[in-house]
Amino acid sequence: MTSFIHPALAFFGLALLLLFLAPKVTWWRWLLPVAPVLAIISVFAAGTGDHLHVAYLGLNLSLGRVDSLSLIFANIFAIQALIGFIYAFHLQEIRHHVAAATYVGGAFGCLFAGDYLTLFIFWEVMSVASTLLIWFNTKDNPRAVGAGIRYFLIHTIGGLLMLAGILLRYQVTGDFVFTAVDPANAAYYDWLIMLGFGVNAAFVIVHAWLPDAYPEATIPGAVFMSAFTTKTAVYVLARGYPGWEFLAWMGIVMSLYGVFYATMENNARRILSYHIMSQVGYMITGIGIGTALALNGTSAHAYAHILYKGLLFMSVGAVLYAAGTAKLNELGGLAGRLPLVMLAYVVAGLSISGMPVFNGFVSKTMTIAAAFDDHRVLLGMLMEVAAVGTFLSVGLKLPYFAFWGGKPTYAKPLRPIPVNMYIAMAAAAFLCTAQGLFPDLLYRFLPYPGSEAFQPWSAWKVLLTLLLLGFTGLGFMVMRKVLTPHAQRNLDFEALYIYLGRIFLALVSRPLAWLDSIWSEVYNRIGLVGLLLLGKATSWFDRMGIDFIIDNSAVGARDTGGLMTTAQTGRLQDYLALAIALASGLALLVWYLA
């Protein structure tokens, strides 16, 4: 008897209930919090071990590998799912909740997968369900159609890279077991699998889907997506590729690239999307360093990031819901009109910036300290530089121009924000603050031993953080006019995708069009003449062959019928004479043959 009940069952069950029960009852929305509550109970009651094996086509699929690494991610996934469904409680669109539940269920399936095949199945479930969270916003945002298509195509490419690596690995090893890969003995298929993971983690060059798609998703959909896609990728990289030097430097590039673009952006949700990339970069660097402290820092930062990034998207989503726009050049002066939303955003903004008192401080400092402890001084310094950029763009620029301004205030009527959205934001803000004040609320779930001696609340760490953030704030006040947002959308690596598409058209479409024109000319000059000659030949055959046979057969049948009619006179003496003639002819034939 297993001691583990898979949390994904609760979310897949919720999706099925909503599909078949919701149209028949009015109270279906009260089912939404049930699945995450059951998941929380399941995660906290789970016993470590290898559970839930399924034999299929001669393969042994492992659906329940439970250990300290999968449990810390499952813990925060379940909590954030509850916050997310509370935030989306007002939404009347059943299909949206079905997609969200399926998406979360797929994420849990990835966390507890013990083999690559199971991981790939749930990976693709996530891809399809999250695409729907973008497309369901097409009524309010026409850009969602194209963004969803690009999102799905990029993730399909990532999935194909991953599948190719899995099948090539199976051909060599004969199994699908998902275990850590030693970088010294890595094969080409290990790189393919890692690159497939990297698409979901938003590695630089293949990252453009993130700032392209998340701002176009539904308001609650973006909250869900900010928590699960990239953090599932962080989990599988931590599981399979700790200690890879490539990841250490890729994470640094992600951290710096994300804050650079975020500083230039105007759309608040694009700013937050770039900072997902940047903050995930810290986690990837921790995985690349590979020490126990670094991996614990990655896990802690993923946990904290899911909370404060979800709160950032919830508060900006509340602004978008109320004002109808998330563009900073159109906002301003909302602090007095949306004071609770402003407070929620400030908590989240200070958390992501690593301000003491909030959870980003106790998680980010662990990853940076791990770099210095491993004598990776340059990595640690570059992460500190990225932290400065984070506070500049998310902690200062975005709230300043949205809630205060230095420009005309937003004077249009505001749409009332549902109470459930405030409840969700309050819950996330409380957890961000509580974990910052009491780090053990987070540290008790860390997966690897050896971090017990780490103390984030040392005088040096607090002083260093306050100095960095203080001078960043001073620099912002001096340069705030330079950082004033403008009504523009900065072109990122999607430009590369566009140019590659044009090259593809030039190399494939135009030569094919040239061949088609040649074929059309050949057809016009030769093909039509041939068809006309073939038509004449078939017409002659029909007239001289088929019609001749059929017509002559009809004439023969007619003449034979006429003779038979003439022979039938109705007189007995004629029939007797005919019989005698036939008998005589038969007798002569027998005599002749004998």
Side-chain angles (χ1 to χ4, degrees):
M1 184 69 178
T2 180
S3 60
F4 175 66
I5 300 175
H6 207 301
L9 294 174
F11 293 99
F12 291 143
L14 173 62
L16 291 174
L17 277 176
L18 291 176
L19 278 175
F20 297 105
L21 181 63
K24 302 177 182 179
V25 298
T26 58
W27 45 266
W28 60 267
R29 285 187 298 163
W30 293 100
L31 295 172
L32 299 178
V34 174
V37 168
L38 292 176
I40 292 172
I41 296 172
S42 172
V43 170
F44 277 95
T48 58
D50 201 2
H51 313 280
L52 303 178
H53 288 267
V54 176
Y56 181 69
L57 297 178
L59 301 173
N60 183 27
L61 305 182
S62 174
L63 280 72
R65 178 173 56 188
V66 183
D67 58 17
S68 55
L69 181 60
S70 59
L71 282 177
I72 186 172
F73 279 85
N75 183 308
I76 186 54
F77 276 19
I79 292 172
Q80 185 61 25
L82 177 60
I83 294 172
F85 277 113
I86 293 173
Y87 186 80
F89 187 81
H90 65 282
L91 202 62
Q92 297 285 349
E93 198 170 359
I94 296 172
R95 62 178 186 171
H96 186 283
H97 297 298
V98 171
T102 305
Y103 175 48
V104 178
F108 274 105
C110 292
L111 290 187
F112 294 112
D115 62 271
Y116 280 114
L117 193 57
T118 303
L119 174 64
F120 177 76
I121 293 170
F122 286 112
W123 194 268
E124 293 307 303
V125 169
M126 288 182 64
S127 176
V128 174
S130 56
T131 302
L132 296 178
L133 295 177
I134 303 169
W135 279 339
F136 288 161
N137 199 34
T138 53
K139 181 179 178 181
D140 298 323
N141 181 8
R143 292 181 61 93
V145 177
I149 292 172
R150 290 187 292 273
Y151 175 91
F152 185 71
L153 286 176
I154 293 297
H155 283 272
T156 299
I157 292 172
L160 290 174
L161 286 172
M162 176 180 165
L163 180 61
I166 291 171
L167 295 178
L168 290 170
R169 180 187 180 278
Y170 178 77
Q171 190 176 29
V172 175
T173 65
D175 64 66
F176 290 107
V177 178
F178 180 25
T179 56
V181 179
D182 184 355
N185 300 318
Y188 62 95
Y189 47 77
D190 296 313
W191 283 93
L192 282 176
I193 296 172
M194 185 190 68
L195 291 176
F197 293 163
V199 171
N200 276 29
F203 283 1
V204 173
I205 297 178
V206 294
H207 69 278
W209 60 267
L210 201 162
D212 180 40
Y214 282 23
E216 316 305 338
T218 65
I219 292 174
V223 174
F224 280 104
M225 294 172 72
S226 71
F228 296 104
T229 297
T230 50
K231 262 59 72 183
T232 302
V234 168
Y235 165 78
V236 294
L237 287 169
R239 169 73 67 186
Y241 296 89
W244 280 53
E245 186 70 11
F246 170 80
L247 293 179
W249 289 102
M250 174 55 74
I252 290 297
V253 175
M254 291 169 64
S255 298
L256 297 173
Y257 191 95
V259 296
F260 174 75
Y261 261 87
T263 305
M264 300 187 296
E265 278 298 333
N266 177 46
N267 186 302
R269 295 211 293 178
R270 273 179 71 86
I271 293 174
L272 299 183
S273 298
Y274 274 114
H275 273 287
I276 291 178
M277 176 187 176
S278 178
Q279 295 298 301
V280 168
Y282 283 88
M283 306 169 206
I284 301 299
T285 296
I287 295 170
I289 295 171
T291 63
L293 183 62
L295 292 172
N296 280 338
T298 290
S299 303
H301 201 48
Y303 196 113
H305 178 267
I306 289 172
L307 286 174
Y308 64 64
K309 184 58 71 172
L311 182 54
L312 285 167
F313 269 94
M314 284 190 286
S315 53
V316 168
V319 171
L320 176 59
Y321 182 91
T325 182
K327 296 179 180 178
L328 298 183
N329 68 303
E330 299 176 3
L331 298 171
L334 292 177
R337 303 182 68 188
L338 298 173
L340 296 179
V341 176
M342 181 270 293
L343 287 174
Y345 182 89
V346 168
V347 170
L350 294 178
S351 296
I352 192 175
S353 302
M355 178 69 73
V357 176
F358 302 103
N359 62 353
F361 170 71
V362 303
S363 63
K364 189 180 295 185
T365 52
M366 180 178 286
T367 308
I368 296 174
F372 286 113
D373 285 356
D374 197 46
H375 308 291
R376 311 295 295 275
V377 177
L378 183 57
L379 292 178
M381 291 178 64
L382 291 174
M383 281 191 279
E384 294 283 17
V385 172
V388 170
T390 300
F391 185 48
L392 180 66
S393 54
V394 178
L396 295 172
K397 173 188 171 179
L398 196 158
Y400 177 77
F401 289 109
F403 295 106
W404 288 280
K407 62 185 189 312
T409 59
Y410 186 85
K412 297 179 182 178
L414 295 177
R415 185 181 179 188
I417 297 173
V419 174
N420 59 285
M421 294 173 71
Y422 282 115
I423 294 173
M425 288 187 285
F430 171 77
L431 290 175
C432 287
T433 308
Q435 288 181 348
L437 292 173
F438 305 101
D440 189 58
L441 292 173
L442 173 56
Y443 289 173
R444 68 177 63 185
F445 301 115
L446 294 179
Y448 301 105
S451 302
E452 297 80 5
F454 179 78
Q455 294 295 330
W457 281 98
S458 67
W460 167 246
K461 291 186 180 70
V462 173
L463 180 61
L464 176 62
T465 301
L466 292 177
L467 284 172
L468 284 173
L469 299 182
F471 279 106
T472 303
L474 180 62
F476 173 78
M477 294 305 296
V478 173
M479 299 177 59
R480 65 184 183 277
K481 291 185 179 180
V482 177
L483 295 172
T484 300
H486 303 283
Q488 64 182 29
R489 180 186 175 98
N490 296 304
L491 199 61
D492 194 358
F493 262 93
E494 62 259 35
L496 176 62
Y497 306 158
I498 294 170
Y499 293 139
L500 289 176
R502 291 175 179 174
I503 292 172
F504 177 81
L505 289 175
L507 295 178
V508 178
S509 178
R510 292 174 184 173
L512 287 177
W514 178 74
L515 289 174
D516 181 68
S517 65
I518 293 177
W519 168 250
S520 299
E521 187 66 22
V522 171
Y523 176 78
N524 290 331
R525 293 182 178 274
I526 301 175
L528 287 177
V529 174
L531 285 175
L532 289 173
L533 292 174
L534 180 63
K536 291 179 179 179
T538 54
S539 176
W540 179 87
F541 177 76
D542 178 66
R543 185 176 63 256
M544 302 303 295
I546 297 175
D547 290 349
F548 177 80
I549 294 172
I550 293 175
D551 291 345
N552 287 337
S553 297
V555 171
R558 183 195 64 190
D559 294 343
T560 302
L563 291 173
M564 294 296 294
T565 302
T566 303
Q568 295 179 3
T569 62
R571 291 180 297 182
L572 180 61
Q573 58 270 29
D574 292 337
Y575 295 153
L576 289 173
L578 180 62
I580 292 170
L582 289 173
S584 300
L586 181 62
L588 289 173
L589 179 64
V590 171
W591 175 79
Y592 175 77
L593 293 174

